[in-house]
């Protein structure tokens, strides 16, 4: 795979995550029709160690929605469809885990490059079958 193609895939993955975070920050449901949700929590590790400061996104093609949440210092996350609505759409979700962060144009070098293999984000192989009620999905990632 060419470097240009790989960069495009990473940029596409970041676009999805940033777009979902923008939706999260937009507040309540505002009367919108919401899909049936299941509460989703879990832990992300990388090579056996907690993965902090990553964004975990659940994308439901059936519901056409993306729900996301960030990991804490212990690698724990909770997924939110919107700012105050916890959960991910019920059904099969494609899962993306991203560590890259866009930079601030006013701060040179503030961007954080992706550190995870593409199989967890741009070319994700991760899925989760969300059920109504409480769900726990732990992701034990490897750096290779």
């Amino acid at each position: 795979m060419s470097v240009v193609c790989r960069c495009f895939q990473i940029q596409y993955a970041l676009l999805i995550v940033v777009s979902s975070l923008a939706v999260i920050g937009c507040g309540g449901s505002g009367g919108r029709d919401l899909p049936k949700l299941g509460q989703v929590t879990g832990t992300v590790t990388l090579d056996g160690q907690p993965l902090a400061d990553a964004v975990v996104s659940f994308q439901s093609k059936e519901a056409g929605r993306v729900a996301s949440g960030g990991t804490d210092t212990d690698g724990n996350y909770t997924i939110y469809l919107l700012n105050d609505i916890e959960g991910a759409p019920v059904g099969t979700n494609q899962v993306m885990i991203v560590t890259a962060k866009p930079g601030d144009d006013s701060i040179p070098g503030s961007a954080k490059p992706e550190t995870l293999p593409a199989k967890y984000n741009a070319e994700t192989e991760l899925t989760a079958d969300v059920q109504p009620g409480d769900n726990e999905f732990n992701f034990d990632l490897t750096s290779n």
Side-chain angles (χ1 to χ4, degrees):
M1 178 181 304
S2 75
V3 172
V4 171
C5 184
R6 174 114 167 95
C7 286
F8 176 75
Q9 288 175 333
I10 290 172
Q11 288 175 344
Y12 178 72
L14 284 172
L15 177 63
I16 289 172
V17 171
V18 170
S19 297
S20 66
L21 290 176
V23 169
I24 288 171
C26 291
S29 65
R32 291 180 222 138
D33 290 328
L34 297 176
K36 186 168 188 160
L37 303 175
Q39 276 41 74
V40 176
T41 60
T43 303
V44 180
T45 60
L46 178 62
D47 298 327
Q49 298 299 311
L51 182 62
D53 202 29
V55 175
V56 182
S57 297
F58 279 58
Q59 181 179 11
S60 168
K61 292 192 191 255
E62 183 177 306
R65 302 294 282 270
V66 176
S68 299
T71 59
D72 64 15
T73 56
D74 295 321
N76 299 313
Y77 70 91
T78 299
I79 297 295
Y80 292 87
L81 182 65
L82 297 169
N83 191 36
D84 59 347
I85 300 176
E86 188 176 324
V90 169
T92 302
N93 284 258
Q94 188 175 37
V95 179
M96 292 177 51
I97 302 174
V98 177
T99 59
K101 303 282 188 232
D104 181 337
D105 288 341
S106 66
I107 305 170
S110 63
K112 181 179 173 190
E114 183 59 57
T115 59
L116 295 175
K119 67 183 177 181
Y120 303 128
N121 43 67
E123 299 170 14
T124 189
E125 300 171 355
L126 303 173
T127 61
D129 188 22
V130 177
Q131 300 297 314
D134 293 334
N135 296 263
E136 181 177 342
F137 297 105
N138 298 317
F139 297 100
D140 300 314
L141 314 180
T142 58
S143 56
N144 52 18

